[in-house]
Amino acid sequence: IEQQIEQPMEESISHNNNNNNNKHTIHTIHNMYILNLERQHERWTTITDKLKEVNNNLAYYQFNGIDASKINPNEMNNYVPINSKRFFMTPEIYAKARSHHSLWKNIVKEHSTTIDKDDKKNNDTDAKKWFIILEDDVYFHENYKNLIKNLSIYNTDILYLGYNNFIKNINYKLSEINSSSTYFLKKNNSENMFFGTYAYICNAKFRQYIINLGIDWFLNNNYPLDNGYNIVNFTSNLKFAVVTGE
């Protein structure tokens, strides 16, 4: 079952020919990956039409996610501990975590952006290879192209391009800041948790950290992807940030 589920994830499909994709420019966004289920043709058509509307000039790749409707319940039960009562880990959340994890491994494989656990190669340009990760149901700001172009990603490892937070004051506070700014998340839960895995930019340092952590860490601890990211923010030296403003 593991092999059958993972098989569609081995290769991504390019939808833009860009001769600059292999340039190792520090703090440059190289291209984007869009998670899409193979059966969700309408969603793929919708998001690619949106990319044209906002004049996107980044190469983008379709990456087939794991379909929750095809997951064998016995497989999920083997990963999620009984004492958690599987409160969070629904088939959809399980599939999302595995889809993102397979995508990170695919990016590392295709772009050779690996760094060691001690981060000894952090000054290497490979450690600053940036990619946009999107799920296929996102909405784009009408000024998306200019906002991405002027976005400050310096000194961040992951930047949420959108987010939700249960504390309304946090949302109001950040929406009043200049929209080209980035806000670094605190290393504690004083601002609750930020949820934004539907659209984010991350570098090789972040991806390799999560790969080293392993998908089992999310599943065995019963962490949905968003919750797991927040725990990583609280317990690691990775720098999490969100885009501010409207």
Side-chain angles (χ1 to χ4, degrees):
I1 297 175
E2 175 89 2
Q3 185 177 6
Q4 291 175 356
I5 290 177
E6 293 286 348
Q7 188 174 0
M9 309 290 288
E10 289 300 323
E11 294 182 359
S12 53
I13 305 170
S14 174
H15 291 270
N16 193 356
N17 292 323
N18 189 334
N19 294 328
N20 294 324
N21 285 345
N22 294 323
K23 290 184 178 180
H24 293 193
T25 306
I26 295 179
H27 304 312
T28 297
I29 302 171
H30 288 257
N31 44 45
M32 77 172 64
Y33 283 83
I34 302 171
L35 280 161
N36 170 251
L37 296 183
E38 192 171 7
R39 60 181 170 84
Q40 294 281 12
H41 303 294
E42 287 188 11
R43 282 193 176 189
W44 178 251
T45 299
T46 298
I47 194 169
T48 52
D49 286 345
K50 290 178 181 177
L51 286 169
K52 294 175 184 177
E53 291 176 6
V54 296
N55 297 316
N56 168 69
N57 59 0
L58 284 174
Y60 60 92
Y61 296 81
Q62 181 183 24
F63 196 81
N64 291 329
I66 295 173
D67 195 332
S69 66
K70 297 181 180 181
I71 289 177
N72 186 325
N74 292 330
E75 180 205 355
M76 191 180 80
N77 293 344
N78 288 336
Y79 276 105
V80 183
I82 295 295
N83 58 10
S84 72
K85 297 182 179 179
R86 302 177 183 88
F87 179 71
F88 289 118
M89 199 59 66
T90 65
E92 291 75 18
I93 293 175
Y94 174 85
K96 173 172 178 170
R98 294 194 68 86
S99 295
H100 281 255
H101 192 262
S102 295
L103 172 55
W104 305 322
K105 291 195 296 184
N106 182 81
I107 292 176
V108 169
K109 177 182 177 181
E110 289 190 350
H111 300 275
S112 300
T113 55
T114 57
I115 57 177
D116 60 23
K117 293 181 180 180
D118 296 327
D119 195 27
K120 294 178 181 178
K121 299 179 183 178
N122 191 37
N123 292 325
D124 192 329
T125 54
D126 273 358
K128 290 298 181 184
K129 272 193 171 180
W130 292 88
F131 293 91
I132 296 178
I133 310 297
L134 301 179
E135 294 181 355
D136 62 6
D137 56 351
V138 298
Y139 290 88
F140 293 92
H141 192 286
E142 60 183 359
N143 197 29
Y144 164 83
K145 183 177 180 180
N146 288 329
L147 291 174
I148 286 291
K149 180 180 178 181
N150 297 317
L151 195 61
S152 174
I153 59 177
Y154 179 77
N155 213 28
T156 68
D157 295 309
I158 175 172
L159 175 64
Y160 291 128
L161 296 176
Y163 70 90
N164 294 304
N165 191 302
F166 293 131
I167 302 178
K168 291 184 178 180
N169 289 340
I170 297 295
N171 297 321
Y172 293 143
K173 171 185 174 183
L174 297 185
S175 66
E176 294 174 355
I177 304 176
N178 186 285
S179 60
S180 63
S181 300
T182 55
Y183 177 81
F184 286 89
L185 306 188
K186 294 182 178 179
K187 288 293 184 180
N188 54 54
N189 62 355
S190 61
E191 294 177 333
N192 206 306
M193 291 188 174
F194 286 81
F195 301 87
T197 55
Y198 54 84
Y200 58 96
I201 306 175
C202 63
N203 63 11
K205 179 180 177 182
F206 173 83
R207 293 189 298 274
Q208 195 64 44
Y209 184 95
I210 299 296
I211 290 173
N212 290 340
L213 198 61
I215 187 64
D216 288 351
W217 179 81
F218 289 88
L219 301 179
N220 291 339
N221 286 292
N222 202 24
Y223 290 146
L225 191 66
D226 282 283
N227 293 63
Y229 275 24
N230 280 277
I231 301 300
V232 170
N233 177 44
F234 301 154
T235 58
S236 74
N237 65 352
L238 293 174
K239 296 177 181 178
F240 282 65
V242 297
V243 174
T244 60
E246 182 183 358

